[in-house]
Amino acid sequence: MKKINYIGFVISLFAGLITSCNYLDVVLDNQMTQDEAFSKRSTTEQYLAHIYDYLPDSYDWLSDAGSAVPRSDEALFSWYAGVSHLVFNNGSWGPTTGAFNIWKGKYEAINQATVFMDNVDKCTDVTEEVRTRMKAEARFLRAYYYFELVCQYGPVYVWGDQAPDILIHAEDVDRHPLDVNLEFIESEYDKAMADLPLTITDPQWYGRINKAIVMAAKSRLLLYAASPLFNGCNLYKQVQNKDGEFLFPQSADPNKWEKAAQAAKAVIDLNLFSLYKDNKETDPFRKAIKSYQGITLEEWNNEVIWGAWYTNGNALNVRCLPPRAVKEGYGGFAPSLKLVDTYPMAKTGRYPITGYNADGSPIIDPKSGYSDTGFTEDYEHPLENKASGYTTIKAHNSCVGRDARFYASILANGFNFYNLYKGVRPITFFTGGTSSYTGSGDCVKVGYLWRRMTDPKLDFENDNWGRIFWPYYRLAEIYLNYAEACNEKPSRNEAEALKYINLVRERAGLNKLEVAYPEVIGNQGLLRTLIQKERMVELAFECHRYYDVRRWMIAEKEMNGPNWCRNVASPTYEGSWERTDQVWTDKRVFLPKHYFFPINQAQLNEMKNMTQNYGW
């Protein structure tokens, strides 16, 4: 269950109260029922809580929103069948594909927010001040749901503040231009900010919308608006709606980067948030590991601008555990080899892989200090070492000397399991290993599992699955938003860009970017590439990469070709470290039309004048 403390009680879905002939109808069916719903505080709060309940379950990586993780190049989940993201990865999806079609659900949420805003003032059981704040929360949520639609489909139909007695006929609806969408969302964010408290100080209401949350959302909105996909890309220029309006900007506006920089800096200048840092560990490298893990393991820490927790920890944790090596583990949630390759080297601070040859072999930066061959005997994992009760391991050299975030996030082939409830257990993924490769079903096929969000203090062997804390927005993202915008805006500010990417790197124990890469000074293109790599690592599995590669318009380069893995089909541990494309034989396919979802045929059937996206 999603828990944004305002949604702590059982939510009435108002069955019958909020029905309509289609989801574009603002009015309720039963006026008496509507009056009853807004006649007292408890039912008014329940109605607002219902609007919150449309927020994405981003932690559930097999669901609509969370599926952005396996649909991106940062992950390669273990299953060959039975999961909806596969057709999106191999390119076999289209307008009739039902999976991840959020259109109807988000417009229902927009509908409910509008109903609430139109009726909340009837509730005299609460003060005018409270009603004003509640209306601002609904206004933000409505705009946020529009933002979700725009991220997936590009420009959509903007409903706006329709009078409650106006019915919208589906056959009259078409999409508004992208700038109309973005300007509407921004203006709604600004209106909401004016009526919201800056922060929430009462822990029982943590997660409830406040001004700082809206400011963070505005930062992401304006960063996306400035990015190539949304800012004059040639691919979509000729798309027009039924009225002959171009749906996408006809030229790039570089000043949008300036607005993005200002929005991110406004959040930073609140001085309300700080990068989470563990305050118990004394060893610097272990501190860096625990600090990164703590972002999601320490609830409501001071880095999180907007968060939520979910009571169903099993949904995530069981799929991060190695099959057959523990009582219950499905072993499906795996990072891609590309993500594993991207983590910097701790000593040099350089990202080790600059690209790949046709045979899948990595092009290694010789200055990085990385090796993709050989083993280190008697290696101590920096977190699970002998002093902590673990044994030494035979580590592949690719796992030695990496960034602290690597050890916080990756359970690699040969590592020990990360809790000691049933003693030390080395986890090996090759054929015949302790978590053996079986060729199908629940087995690890990449050679690595994702572990960052899985609390090692939980006793999984006795079904203690805990719960999941999810950061929708956190300060590190804002720092990286600001760094990117500073690098791209017309009045380029390289010093500011380096300052804020370095703050993120410093928490991970890395040296400054300009020390790792002296050649970055004065080189906008190189800094752009390094910011992209840093976002991939720092924000991994937080549903950013899927949207980042699209808004940068690099998905055709990053999301095509074989799925390379370690050769876990090998009968030996040593052989399992070879790279191969013969474990995951399906290839990734990304075509130009895949930058946006098609409008689904279900919507086209009822909205007959709706303009379809390019290529579909």
Side-chain angles (χ1 to χ4, degrees), residues 167-232:
L167 293 180
I168 307 300
H169 298 287
E171 62 270 19
D172 296 332
V173 169
D174 197 2
R175 303 159 74 188
H176 289 102
L178 180 61
D179 281 342
V180 172
N181 280 249
L182 297 175
E183 288 165 9
F184 174 76
I185 297 169
E186 182 183 1
S187 68
E188 292 291 280
Y189 283 179
D190 288 341
K191 291 175 185 176
M193 274 190 265
D195 292 327
L196 288 168
L198 182 58
T199 60
I200 301 295
T201 56
D202 186 346
Q204 73 169 319
W205 298 120
Y206 282 172
R208 191 170 178 176
I209 303 302
N210 58 46
K211 182 178 179 179
I213 289 170
V214 183
M215 292 174 68
K218 184 175 179 178
S219 169
R220 190 184 296 177
L221 168 73
L222 295 182
L223 184 79
Y224 280 31
S227 300
L229 179 60
F230 297 94
N231 194 10

Side-chain angles (χ1 to χ4, degrees), residues 337 339-346 350-353 362 364 368-377 379 393-403 406-407 410-415 446-448 565-566 573-574 576-579:
L337 187 52
L339 173 60
V340 173
D341 283 343
T342 305
Y343 288 94
M345 302 303 293
R350 293 177 76 97
Y351 306 96
I353 308 301
I364 299 172
S368 68
Y370 174 82
S371 174
D372 200 53
T373 59
F375 296 86
T376 296
E377 300 284 351
Y379 176 73
I393 63 174
K394 180 179 181 179
H396 191 254
N397 284 331
S398 65
C399 298
V400 176
R402 304 298 292 275
D403 173 3
F406 174 91
Y407 301 104
I410 306 299
L411 177 65
N413 187 10
F415 281 14
V446 185
Y448 311 88
C565 305
R566 297 295 183 177
Y573 175 66
E574 291 77 11
S576 68
W577 282 98
E578 298 296 324
R579 293 175 182 248

Side-chain angles (χ1 to χ4, degrees), residues 186-340:
E186 182 183 1
S187 68
E188 292 291 280
Y189 283 179
D190 288 341
K191 291 175 185 176
M193 274 190 265
D195 292 327
L196 288 168
L198 182 58
T199 60
I200 301 295
T201 56
D202 186 346
Q204 73 169 319
W205 298 120
Y206 282 172
R208 191 170 178 176
I209 303 302
N210 58 46
K211 182 178 179 179
I213 289 170
V214 183
M215 292 174 68
K218 184 175 179 178
S219 169
R220 190 184 296 177
L221 168 73
L222 295 182
L223 184 79
Y224 280 31
S227 300
L229 179 60
F230 297 94
N231 194 10
C233 75
N234 290 327
L235 196 60
Y236 290 92
K237 277 186 179 179
Q238 302 309 312
V239 181
Q240 301 178 50
N241 65 16
K242 66 183 178 63
D243 296 322
E245 297 175 295
F246 288 107
L247 289 182
F248 290 83
Q250 296 301 288
S251 60
D253 179 1
N255 291 315
K256 290 182 178 180
W257 287 110
E258 184 66 52
K259 287 186 64 177
Q262 292 171 1
K265 192 60 162 58
V267 180
I268 295 167
D269 288 345
L270 291 175
N271 292 317
L272 292 172
F273 308 99
S274 59
L275 297 181
Y276 175 80
K277 294 182 180 179
D278 180 87
N279 59 10
K280 298 176 183 177
E281 183 59 59
T282 56
D283 176 80
F285 199 70
R286 289 168 63 92
K287 180 183 180 72
I289 297 172
K290 290 186 176 182
S291 294
Y292 187 60
Q293 286 180 325
I295 297 165
T296 56
L297 299 184
E298 298 296 327
E299 296 180 2
W300 309 114
N301 64 80
N302 207 44
E303 180 167 345
V304 176
I305 302 170
W306 188 21
W309 59 256
Y310 302 80
T311 57
N312 186 17
N314 177 281
L316 184 150
N317 287 326
V318 73
R319 296 179 176 89
C320 293
L321 302 185
R324 292 166 293 284
V326 297
K327 176 183 174 183
E328 185 177 9
Y330 301 162
F333 289 166
S336 67
L337 187 52
K338 182 195 290 187
L339 173 60
V340 173

Side-chain angles (χ1 to χ4, degrees), residues 351 479-480 483 496-506 513-514 527 530-532 534:
Y351 306 96
Y479 280 175
L480 294 174
E496 283 285 272
L498 289 170
K499 174 182 176 181
Y500 283 92
I501 193 174
N502 284 336
L503 286 174
V504 176
R505 287 169 59 88
E506 182 273 333
L513 198 62
E514 61 269 31
L527 183 53
L530 299 178
I531 290 171
Q532 291 174 356
E534 187 62 30

